Amino acid sequence: MELFFILLFLIAFLYSSVGHGGASSYLALMAFYEITPEVMKPTALLLNLFVSLTSFIQYYRGKHFLLKLFIPLAIASIPMAFIGGTITVDPTIYKKILGLLLLFPVMRFFFFKNAEPSEMKAPNLYLSLLIGGLIGLFSGMIGIGGGIILSPILLLLKWTNQKQTAAISALFIFVNSCAGLAGQFSKGIHFSGDMTAFVGIAFLGGIFGAYFGALKFNQNILKQVLGSVLLFAAAKLLFL
């Protein structure tokens, strides 16, 4: 069990450093340790709450948060994440599709330069609503916060730089995780007896990861970290 806690800390550290909550990898870790599916989904979302909020606070302090872009994404995603949380579905096919999609932004992060400030584009309101709604529904269904999907989309659309993306994704994960948990509570929910230890370790990892990601890591390092996170997530989704 000691290895479980070490891996939990590392996942929280790595994901919070790029503004993610880490639910997809928490799910993989718990599956490896044969924690029951009824416990896995709410546990991952609860861990998401602590890690993503810690990450958001640090990125907000670093003045990377864009409220105007976040609002339409959240308005669309919150109700859809609640609906998704009420749906019981086999997530296998969704995970395979997501794993394939994540390979495209991974290629971009490793082999293409970041967009220059002059290349940045203004967000489109209607497209923001559509993106938020679709990610929210998907996130609620499989028990993730959705940041791992939102981040590459924002970067590929050139709406945000990497630290702005991390700030928006962190709060996006938090609100979606709240909504997804609320949807699950409406059906009945199960938590592990070890939840206090899980939350404490993930919270600690999130504090360190968010601090280094928001205030210490430069853009190039953050690009490599984010690419590594997405590559790991893609491999896990495709082959677990």
Side-chain angles (χ1 to χ4, degrees), residues 2-232:
E2 290 82 2
L3 180 58
F4 177 90
F5 290 132
I6 292 172
L7 293 173
L8 183 64
F9 177 89
L10 292 175
I11 290 169
F13 178 91
L14 182 59
Y15 274 75
S16 66
S17 72
V18 293
H20 291 170
S24 59
S25 287
Y26 300 143
L27 289 170
L29 182 61
M30 286 186 284
F32 181 78
Y33 278 84
E34 299 183 350
I35 296 174
T36 61
E38 292 78 11
V39 173
M40 286 169 54
K41 188 174 176 180
T43 299
L45 288 174
L46 186 60
L47 293 174
N48 252 5
L49 294 181
F50 288 90
V51 176
S52 62
L53 182 59
T54 301
S55 183
F56 169 71
I57 291 171
Q58 294 289 359
Y59 277 97
Y60 182 82
R61 289 177 56 201
K63 300 181 179 180
H64 302 297
F65 182 62
L66 302 178
L67 179 62
K68 186 175 181 180
L69 175 55
F70 173 76
I71 288 176
L73 292 169
I75 287 175
S77 70
I78 291 172
M80 297 304 289
F82 178 87
I83 293 171
T86 67
I87 299 172
T88 301
V89 61
D90 183 352
T92 302
I93 187 170
Y94 296 97
K95 290 182 179 181
K96 302 305 181 187
I97 293 172
L98 178 58
L100 289 172
L101 292 176
L102 289 180
L103 294 177
F104 292 95
V106 166
M107 292 176 62
R108 179 187 182 277
F109 297 145
F110 282 118
F111 301 110
F112 296 90
K113 294 181 179 180
N114 291 327
E116 298 296 330
S118 60
E119 298 178 307
M120 301 301 291
K121 300 178 181 178
N124 179 283
L125 174 61
Y126 298 107
L127 184 55
S128 297
L129 292 169
L130 177 61
I131 291 170
L134 290 175
I135 295 176
L137 179 63
F138 184 84
S139 300
M141 288 171 60
I142 66 174
I144 61 174
I148 202 168
I149 310 172
L150 178 64
S151 293
I153 290 175
L154 293 179
L155 290 168
L156 289 170
L157 290 173
K158 299 182 180 179
W159 287 355
T160 54
N161 63 35
Q162 294 195 42
K163 291 196 175 184
Q164 291 168 343
T165 297
I168 291 172
S169 295
L171 191 57
F172 185 81
I173 290 166
F174 180 81
V175 298
N176 278 340
S177 297
C178 287
L181 276 173
Q184 291 182 47
F185 269 117
S186 70
K187 297 182 59 181
I189 199 166
H190 303 276
F191 287 111
S192 166
D194 296 323
M195 181 54 60
T196 301
F198 290 1
V199 169
I201 291 170
F203 184 62
L204 186 62
I207 290 175
F208 282 102
Y211 174 76
F212 283 101
L215 304 178
K216 297 295 183 181
F217 291 166
N218 63 33
Q219 288 285 313
N220 289 331
I221 292 176
L222 197 62
K223 174 184 175 181
Q224 299 301 316
V225 172
L226 182 55
S228 298
V229 168
L230 295 175
L231 181 60
F232 172 80

